[in-house]
């Protein structure tokens, strides 16, 4: 019988039900979560105010069992419950890692351990944790090529870079993987597949918390990640404030609520001030009502709408030299400073090169030039909106004839594109 795929933090469907109250169902009595809590209790963890639950708006998360006051401790996870490189080096994998040269990175070590523990399940010591991890992710590195092509250009290029980096991580460490052959009965190539390493990489990338570790003579590079079972069930919300760090006195990773939480509500944390493109790229979801959301303007559009400007090439070179051709954005409140500055430079003739530099320092132009800038940005928004509408139409068509896995991928891209359309629409209204 085919095992039903479990929704996870980054694999969840974020279907928002407007006008309906958020519903929740406790998951604490399910065998997998009973095993997880028992596993963590044996390592010193005790939680009486949070329980795993399935929410109608976000999927899996943690629910409060009592009201959390401002400044109150939300969760405290002992160091013994954290999965770190120290955990790996002290395991059966340690001797082989310590005798391998060149020294592997902390990321590779964590990924290798996850792959092996998943392969050893259900006999793995960490099986209770492995068992509740998502079996797949909605991060772009999992996307089919057809879905990847529907992403905005900047996210598309960054997603391809991520995919390439994972492929290189896999291909460049084949000798290291073969060194681990004594640990498995099967051929090592059957265990350390690209798909297995991709799953482990996404697990670390989407679920780890920041925790600085002392340098190890057996590892190379910065070691700042830790996997935190149970704690990593906390979902992100951009308007939530928490205080999170490892307490060297209690030897626990602790999270304090800044604003407090009502009893039986979902407890959230904040992953950082990320726009939705970054959230999708790194975590595989899009956050509704995200105050940090922007739309990135493709510089190729400049070349398209200003192709008759004979000085365009020189102006673009000047903007590039001054690092003003990256992070050009518009928000619901209008064009960003970088975009406005770039367009002001583009409005000037080649004969006024001295004024180009003055614009970089914030100098405004005359009324006629400012009107030209506003009109140019309006045209940029219209072209970007056309691309967005085209992508949404293609997504709608594909949703009618795809399987479940592609549906999840398409839905998260659709959420991003719909928000993009909303932002562009509001920006155009402001410019009119």
């Amino acid at each position: 019988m085919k095992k039903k795929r479990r929704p996870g933090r980054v694999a969840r469907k974020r279907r928002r039900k407007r006008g309906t109250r958020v519903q929740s169902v406790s998951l604490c009595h399910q065998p997998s979560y009973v095993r997880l809590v028992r596993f963590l209790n044996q390592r010193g963890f005790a939680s009486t105010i949070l329980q795993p639950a399935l929410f109608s708006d976000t999927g899996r998360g943690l629910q409060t069992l009592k009201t959390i006051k401002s400044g109150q401790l939300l969760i405290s996870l002992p160091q013994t419950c954290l999965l770190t490189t120290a955990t790996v080096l002290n395991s059966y994998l340690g001797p082989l890692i310590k005798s391998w040269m060149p020294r592997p990175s902390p990321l590779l070590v964590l990924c290798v351990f996850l792959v092996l523990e998943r392969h050893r399940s259900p006999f793995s010591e960490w099986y209770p944790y492995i068992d509740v991890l998502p079996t797949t992710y909605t991060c772009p590195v999992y996307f089919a090529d057809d879905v990847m092509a529907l992403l905005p250009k900047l996210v598309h290029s960054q997603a391809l870079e991520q995919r390439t980096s994972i492929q290189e991580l896999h291909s460049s460490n084949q000798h290291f993987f073969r060194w681990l052959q004594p640990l498995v009965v099967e051929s090592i190539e059957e265990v350390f597949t690209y798909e297995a390493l991709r799953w482990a990489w996404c697990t670390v990338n989407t679920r780890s918390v920041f925790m600085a570790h002392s340098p190890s003579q057996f590892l190379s590079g910065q070691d700042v990640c830790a996997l935190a079972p149970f704690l990593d069930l906390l979902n992100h919300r951009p308007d939530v404030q928490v205080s999170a760090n490892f307490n060297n006195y209690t030897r626990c990773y602790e999270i304090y609520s800044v604003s407090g939480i009502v009893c039986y509500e979902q407890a959230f944390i904040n992953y950082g001030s990320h726009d939705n493109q970054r959230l999708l790229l790194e975590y595989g979801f899009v956050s509704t009502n995200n105050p940090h959301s922007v739309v990135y303007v493709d510089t190729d559009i400049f070349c398209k709408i200003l192709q008759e400007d004979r000085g365009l090439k020189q102006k673009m070179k000047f903007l590039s030299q001054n690092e003003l051709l990256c992070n050009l954005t518009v928000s619901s409140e209008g064009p960003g400073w970088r975009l406005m500055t770039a367009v002001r430079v583009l409005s000037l003739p080649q004969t006024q090169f001295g004024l180009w530099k003055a614009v970089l320092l914030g100098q405004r132009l005359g009324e006629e030039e400012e009107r030209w800038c506003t009109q140019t940005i309006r045209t940029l928004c219209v072209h970007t909106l056309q691309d967005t509408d085209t992508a949404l139409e293609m997504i709608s068509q594909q949703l009618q004839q795809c399987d479940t896995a592609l549906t999840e991928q398409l839905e998260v891209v659709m959420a991003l594109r719909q928000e993009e359309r909303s932002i562009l629409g509001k920006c155009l209204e402001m410019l009119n």
Side-chain angles (χ1 to χ4, degrees), residues 381-413:
C381 288
V382 169
H383 278 75
T384 306
L385 187 57
Q386 289 172 348
D387 174 72
T388 301
D389 286 338
T390 300
L392 282 169
E393 184 177 347
M394 295 176 67
I395 291 170
S396 179
Q397 292 173 358
Q398 291 192 31
L399 280 172
Q400 298 176 16
Q401 52 190 13
C402 65
D403 58 21
T404 303
L406 282 183
T407 297
E408 292 184 342
Q409 296 176 11
L410 288 166
E411 285 182 340
V412 74
V413 178

Side-chain angles (χ1 to χ4, degrees), residues 24 34 55 66 101 103 108 113 115 126 155 167-168 181 202 289 344 357 375 384 402 429:
S24 63
V34 171
F55 297 89
K66 58 179 68 175
M101 293 291 289
R103 298 306 188 192
L108 179 61
F113 186 72
V115 170
W126 286 84
V155 187
Q167 290 170 340
E168 290 178 350
Q181 181 64 70
C202 282
N289 302 317
R344 282 177 177 144
K357 296 182 178 179
Q375 179 57 43
T384 306
C402 65
E429 286 178 9

